[in-house]
Every structure is written in structure tokens, then in C-alpha cells.
Amino acid sequence: MSEAAVDEAPDGVLSRSYLLATLGMVALIGIAAFESLAVTTVMPTVSRELHGESLYSLAFAAPLATSLVGMVFAGNGADRSGPRPVVIASTLLFAVGLLIVGTAPTMTVLLLGRLVQGFGSGAVIVGLYVMVSELYPARLHPSVFAGFAAAWVLPGLVGPVVAGTVTERFGWHWVFIGAVALSVPAFVMIVPSLRRLPAHTGDVPWSRGRILWSGAAAAAVVALNLLSELPVAVSVAVVVASVVVLAIALRPLLPARTLRAGVGIPTLVLLRGLVGAAFVGGDVYIPYLLSAQYDFSPAASGITLTVGSISWALASWLVGRLGDRVSQLAGIRIGIGLVVIGVVSAVMTALLHVHPGVLIVGWTLTGFGMGFMYPRFSVLVLRWSGDDERGFNSSALTIADSASAAVVLALTGAAFGLLGGAQDPAAFVACFTVALAVALLALAVSGRAIPRRSG
């Protein structure tokens, strides 16, 4: 934490000193969230128009892969030179990626744009996390991260419907071009605060090894998501090689003992990845299920995402109001339990073809569970990180998030293709079952998130 943040100690995150910074950072997070929801809503239409249905899952996994590299660059760069250059460069790359996607004439060009966009979005999130730690006093961190969590879901109030309506009336291209236009004023709002950040005089070197490992991890993720395009015999070899490379590459990018669920920060990082993957594994295929099996329009298929986002925002607000009245461990376990319930509703909807209201109610509970636990991961990791670890540990949170989600998308994408695609309910059942297995694993290791002395 910087001396400036301690000395000013404003009354709140919306005080005069930090108003523009808070609004600008929350807006940038919100735009990234809108884009994510927009892709989920419009991708069934995009894949049909660009004849890229076989690359459906890769369109989601590609930015997750390059975000791994962006996060490592950003974490290392923030520890070396501070968050200022990281936030500026990554915001620019994010906007360029959106422009490429928004003007893409083919699925190949769209995937290229998604790669660029993923690098920028992964880096900007890490940069903003570190910016929070240097700009605000520690007592305001929970409020800022609660705002970030709300920003991830508030676009869900209108985002899916807006994206679907724009797609139906004007074309899906304008969904992404519009997001670029919104990014400009959001970035302008944080520029004055970027100038106020203290200069970094440390001698943290560039970690070329970690950057190379992040590239290897990204390559493994992309390879996993190409399984549906490969012969079965080749797919088996690719799976084995990719999993080995990914496991080896992730070790230096995450805190020690993360893959073994070490107590404290390692398990918090692991849980962030597992619950995020379980959520994404269901979220990506819900609009597709409603469109293919229930004849929902693009705008109507976003209704489940909307109600899930509303409940996520409500839960994030509730976390701030409850304070310490619910322990961190209890909050994490309650959240995971609700995610499990929601994913079970998705499995049952696809398996039994019940009324879609079952899925909508279930995903509302999932959204509430995510909002109830997600801010806790960032707050606790920053609380227990040293001054020279914040960049690394912040990037580790988002790396675990992206890597886990990309692996789950690879598994669901392969299962989806092998089981007949959108016309066969069994394909959706398999996708949601993978997400359920990941959520249950998160519940099993959640007890190791909080050291006993921390309560």
C-alpha cells in the first residue's frame, strides 16, 4: 500500500479523491463483463453465419489461452514498473481485439481478434488489481472488490437482451464495436489516478521463464480445444501431451502447492479456478441449449444469464453489508453449494427436457453463490500477500481462473462434438456434467482455504 493511500484515507471509494478512479475501473470491468456476456449470447448466431460451429468452444477458449500470457506479463510488469504502463497497454490491446472481432468476415479472423482481446483483458484485470492495492487504503479494498464483482454482473441486467436485440436488428458485429466505444470514456476517467501512482524504483527483473511457461500453457489450452477437429487416435495423444505440458507450465505461474491445495493462498487460487470453470462450463452452453432445444431467440436465450447476473450483484452487495457476520470459510462453502445446485438444474433440464424455468431458477442460485464468494478470494489473497507478491498473486488468481475454464471448455467442446452437437440433448448433458464434477471438487477442497488461526 502506498503512503499516499494511507495519508489521504478518504471516507469511502466514492469520495472526491477516488470517485473518477472507482467509476473508471468499475466501468472497464463492466465492459469486459458485457463483452463476455455478449459473446455467450450471440455466439450461436456468429458460428452459424461464419460457418464455424465446429470451432464454437475454441471461440471461448482462445482468449482464455492468451489471457494466461497477458496475466503473466502484467503481473511481472506491475511488480517491476507499477500498474500504470500495464493498464495503459492492456486497455489498448483489449480495444484492438474487439475491433478485429467486430469487423471479422470469417471465423478465422474472429479467432485472431479473440486472441488479441484475451491478452489485453487478462493483463488489464491484473493491472487494475495492483492499482487498487497502491491507490486505496487496505480498509477500502473489500468495497472496491465488491464493486468489481458487481461490475462483472450488473451488465447482465441488460447485457444479454441488448446483445441479442442488436444482433437481431443490426447484426452481431455492432455488439463488439459498441463495446470499443464505451471503453474510451472509462479509460479517460482513470488517467488522472494513474498519474498519481507512486513510481516504482525496485529492481524486479523480467521473468522470461515464467513468460515462456505461460506461452506453453496457452499452446496446450489451444491444442485441447482443437480435439473435435482431429482423428480419435490423434486426439488421445494430444490430450495426454497437452495435460502434461499444462500441469508443468502452470507450476511456476501459481503459488507453491496450488495444485495440491496447500492451505491458505494456494487453495484460494485453486478454488478461484475451479468455481470459475464450473460456472463458465455451464454458462457457455445454456443459451445454446435454450436456442437449440427450446427455440429461444438470441434475445430470449439471454434471460438465464440476466437473472443469474442480478442474483450475483445482489449477493455481492449482501457480502459488503454482512461484513464479518458470516465467516470467510462459511461464505465460500455456501457459494460453492449454490453453484452445485444450479449446475444440477442444468443437467436435469437437458436430460429430462423439463420446463426451462427450472434452469432459470437454478442458474439464479448459481449466480447468487458466485457473488457470495467471489470477492472473498481477492480480498483474502491481497490481505495475506507481501508488498512484492501482490502482482504475482493477483495474476495467479486470474491465471487459475482462465486456465481452469479453458480446460473445462476443451472437455465440454470435445464431448459436445462427439455426442452429436446441438441437436442431441446428450451433448448438453455431458457438458453440464463436466461442470458439476468440477464444482464438487471445489467443495471437497474448500476447507483448506482458510488457515485455522485466521477463522
Side-chain angles (χ1 to χ4, degrees), residues 214-415:
S214 69
V221 166
V222 172
L224 282 171
N225 280 273
L226 292 174
L227 294 180
S228 61
E229 301 295 301
L230 302 174
V232 176
V234 177
S235 295
V236 174
V238 170
V239 167
V240 173
S242 297
V243 169
V244 170
V245 170
L246 191 59
I248 294 173
L250 286 177
R251 290 190 66 183
L253 307 180
L254 303 174
R257 300 179 295 113
T258 295
L259 300 181
R260 291 182 290 167
V263 176
I265 288 179
T267 292
L268 289 169
V269 172
L270 178 63
L271 283 175
R272 170 75 173 260
L274 291 176
V275 298
F279 181 80
V280 169
D283 209 48
V284 162
Y285 285 94
I286 285 174
Y288 213 166
L289 171 68
L290 295 176
S291 173
Q293 299 294 322
Y294 291 90
D295 296 322
F296 277 39
S297 68
S301 65
I303 188 171
T304 306
L305 307 183
T306 297
V307 295
S309 296
I310 293 172
S311 63
W312 190 325
L314 176 62
S316 298
W317 171 84
L318 186 60
V319 169
R321 298 287 293 179
L322 289 175
D324 296 331
R325 280 174 280 182
V326 176
S327 72
Q328 298 287 15
L329 180 57
I332 289 171
R333 282 179 163 169
I334 290 170
I336 298 174
L338 291 174
V339 170
V340 169
I341 293 172
V343 179
V344 167
S345 76
V347 173
M348 299 308 295
T349 301
L351 180 63
L352 303 177
H353 200 75
V354 298
H355 192 279
V358 173
L359 177 57
I360 293 171
V361 171
W363 214 247
T364 301
L365 293 176
T366 296
F368 190 92
M370 292 295 288
F372 202 68
M373 67 177 155
Y374 229 58
R376 302 175 191 272
F377 298 135
S378 300
V379 169
L380 291 174
V381 166
L382 277 181
R383 180 184 300 171
W384 296 336
S385 297
D387 290 342
D388 59 347
E389 298 174 326
R390 290 195 182 111
F392 175 81
N393 287 339
S394 294
S395 68
L397 278 174
T398 46
I399 286 170
D401 207 345
S402 294
S404 299
V407 170
V408 166
L409 286 174
L411 295 175
T412 55

Side-chain angles (χ1 to χ4, degrees), residues 37 153-162 305-307 309-311 313:
L37 287 167
V153 294
L154 284 176
L157 300 176
V158 295
V161 175
V162 169
L305 307 183
T306 297
V307 295
S309 296
I310 293 172
S311 63

Side-chain angles (χ1 to χ4, degrees), residues 145-222:
F145 286 118
F148 281 9
W152 273 109
V153 294
L154 284 176
L157 300 176
V158 295
V161 175
V162 169
T165 302
V166 170
T167 299
E168 291 173 9
R169 295 189 178 182
F170 305 105
W172 58 267
H173 300 273
W174 290 101
V175 173
F176 301 98
I177 294 174
V180 176
L182 292 174
S183 300
V184 176
F187 177 73
V188 169
M189 282 192 283
I190 69 171
V191 169
S193 295
L194 286 173
R195 292 173 177 165
R196 288 167 47 198
L197 294 176
H200 278 228
T201 57
D203 56 354
V204 177
W206 281 109
S207 181
R208 294 181 178 84
R210 290 185 67 241
I211 293 171
L212 289 175
W213 280 122
S214 69
V221 166
V222 172

Side-chain angles (χ1 to χ4, degrees), residues 8 10 12-22 135-136 193 196:
E8 291 181 24
V13 296
L14 296 180
S15 63
R16 191 172 115 183
S17 297
Y18 295 138
L19 178 62
L20 284 178
T22 300
L135 190 64
Y136 297 83
S193 295
R196 288 167 47 198

